[in-house]
Amino acid sequence: MKIDNGIVRIGVIGVGNMGSEHCRNLYAGKCPEIALVSVADLRHERRQWAAKHLHGVKIYETGRELIQSKNCDAVIICVPHFTHESLTVEALEAGLHVLCEKPISVTASAARNMIQSAEKSGKTLAIMFNQRTNCLYRGIHHLLHSGEMGNIKRVNWIVTDWYRTQRYYESGSWRSTWAGEGGGVLLNQCPHQLDLLIWLCGMPQNVKAVCHEGKWHNIEVEDDVSVYFEFPGGATGVMVTSTGDLPGTNRLEIDCEKGKIVCEDGLVRCWRLRENEREICFSSDNPWYQAESTISVIKTDGLNLQHIGVMNSFAAHLLRDEPLTADAYDGFREIQLSNAIYLAGWTGEKITVPANEKEFIRRLEQKISISQRKEYKDYTYETNHEGTGALHQ
Amino acid sequence: MKIDNGIVRIGVIGVGNMGSEHCRNLYAGKCPEIALVSVADLRHERRQWAAKHLHGVKIYETGRELIQSKNCDAVIICVPHFTHESLTVEALEAGLHVLCEKPISVTASAARNMIQSAEKSGKTLAIMFNQRTNCLYRGIHHLLHSGEMGNIKRVNWIVTDWYRTQRYYESGSWRSTWAGEGGGVLLNQCPHQLDLLIWLCGMPQNVKAVCHEGKWHNIEVEDDVSVYFEFPGGATGVMVTSTGDLPGTNRLEIDCEKGKIVCEDGLVRCWRLRENEREICFSSDNPWYQAESTISVIKTDGLNLQHIGVMNSFAAHLLRDEPLTADAYDGFREIQLSNAIYLAGWTGEKITVPANEKEFIRRLEQKISISQRKEYKDYTYETNHEGTGALHQ
């Protein structure tokens, strides 16, 4: 165990959209093994929000002050992506464990630094991949890893239920700019699905992609992406994501040698073949063989604890060595894949995963150099689990 | 009207898999305005089949003999794709109307010759795009063209229900070779969906594609294809097709400004928004706007006449100027798109549609020059409408 006093004292750095949600959950006692002791935010109005809603919690202006205050065991980092690296490293070096919001960082290079810092310090670095807690994805993971379905042959994932209005992109001057955020739907919304794809199907070995920038919104980053994957075992995949489709779709199909799995509308359905298709193909004398498959809805435990589940497993890991929902290596692989998709989109080339990190950074810096920092008002929204939000101020 | 004696006397050239099905339908009287008068096939055993099953029908060895016999008004051409052009031109020049199996040809150049020949002769050239008769696609076509859904924004079509075993590819020495067939799933199975895509959504302006050759079967042509489309109006699309997935999927999703349409499992469902998303995006002050949409199953006439429907409309066109199911220009556009997808796959480049015809032919001829003509037995299968088949001989 890494903490032996039975409770994890936690500080939340950044109490904007996501950070404030974590604070509300912790303050409401939804994570009984975590005590929220401090928060930090650079913005005066967010500290005012904390003072009003989080009685007894220490409030700092900077993450550094919070880290150096020595009153917590761990921090949750909920600041714009570009500052994940420096705050995480600072916290780890100060002897704190870290739960970092997704994506772990903007570049794989930064993630590597963070991991090295975690390894050097011996402290835990976990990533907020809350969608791993969804019973549907856990059910698919279990099914695929049972071996019952045979090898994966194809993945199709339509993830177009990330709808955002123009107003969303105006909710922070850093948002949806190359300089402030470093990317769009791939970096902000889709890390969840990229992580799940790797978790469920393994790491692709190369990618092709088309990334449309500002296709549906007045933004400089991408809001519409089509990706083609190739996996080491020969499987291929397609993922389509956008923040411009209404009503969107979230439909994951995984085709295997012994059947297929479809996750849509809150259900996982499984088609099971009696035989392995790879054997049928070469043994059947029916040119138009039709499958006799049984279709069933996968039973799950029904649990979908999202951020609360990730925070609870973080605490359980620190207190009792239980497994994390997702660790730093998961975050690293996700951003490696993400970087490769960007590079594929920017170059039009097929890109091997992991991508050339220097080339990715060189091209990102080109984008940043011509990025127009916005002059929008800093709106902050109250987010709930469904992803809807009400204007907070 | 082009024929004034109340009935179309027809000859079927090629009575293999598809040609024999058309003969059975015609012989059984399923097309009351068509009289089957003659058939031709180069293979002795197929002429024997005709002699046994088609009493009173004249039997020729070559298409030329049938065409020159002067005993029919029109022909249905059901021979390997590469000979569509010469037989069609010969029939048109002999004053016959032509219904040609899909694809119209292997190259857009050949299709252009066929169209010029039709225009010069004043005779009708129709294409066997039998899936246009499906009430589901007709329902979608009606809905999209009513304007009710607004502009199309995205198309996702998973067409992996073209499963074929290795035995299928051994059912003809010409099959699944560059020299004999000129392509694989894109040219043989998927012309239907490419035609429907153009019919429903318009012609893409450019494409990217990955075409895997011999991925799931021992064949030299492609059996697994992922295509990315861009349409002139800004919509994008993805189509995935394969003959190696079991059980496959056929799911078409079309996202529009005012809702989405999903065709799967024999149903067309439609999500209708109250407002146009393009207006919501820039007028809503909710960053995470969620759609209030009504979902309904589209009512259709339930008819799905397939090949019989195409033949009946061909006769009705010749007898009473009624519209064809699909004409030569539809066939031409489909093969233009198909050629562009091949070129995109072969080069790894984004290809403008229509593609450079000379470049396509140059690369196809390279493939043909190293093609291995197979020494397989000529199996012929009885095909039924569901696409299943029983070994015939």
Side-chain angles (χ1 to χ4, degrees), chain B residues 188-201:
Chain B
N188 191 306
Q189 284 81 26
C190 227
H192 290 298
Q193 283 80 25
L194 293 180
D195 168 61
L196 290 171
L197 184 83
I198 298 166
W199 188 50
L200 297 173
C201 304

Side-chain angles (χ1 to χ4, degrees), chain B residues 337-348:
Chain B
L337 180 56
S338 170
N339 286 186
I341 294 170
Y342 275 109
L343 206 49
W346 295 339
T347 62

Side-chain angles (χ1 to χ4, degrees), chain B residues 13-15 40-43 61-64 67 75-92 98-107 110-111 113-114 125 174 177-182 187 364 368 373:
Chain B
I13 301 177
V15 289
D41 203 295
L42 293 174
R43 291 169 296 172
E61 184 170 349
T62 67
R64 170 165 293 176
I67 290 167
V75 290
I76 305 180
I77 293 181
C78 317
V79 295
H81 323 316
F82 273 119
T83 40
H84 285 184
E85 179 188 6
S86 59
L87 282 167
T88 295
V89 168
E90 190 163 351
L92 290 166
V98 175
L99 172 56
C100 182
E101 264 294 341
K102 44 64 33 184
I104 186 170
S105 56
V106 177
T107 70
N113 286 344
M114 294 160 77
L125 173 55
W174 59 282
T177 62
W178 293 112
E181 185 159 11
L187 197 69
L364 177 61
I368 290 171
R373 197 159 178 93

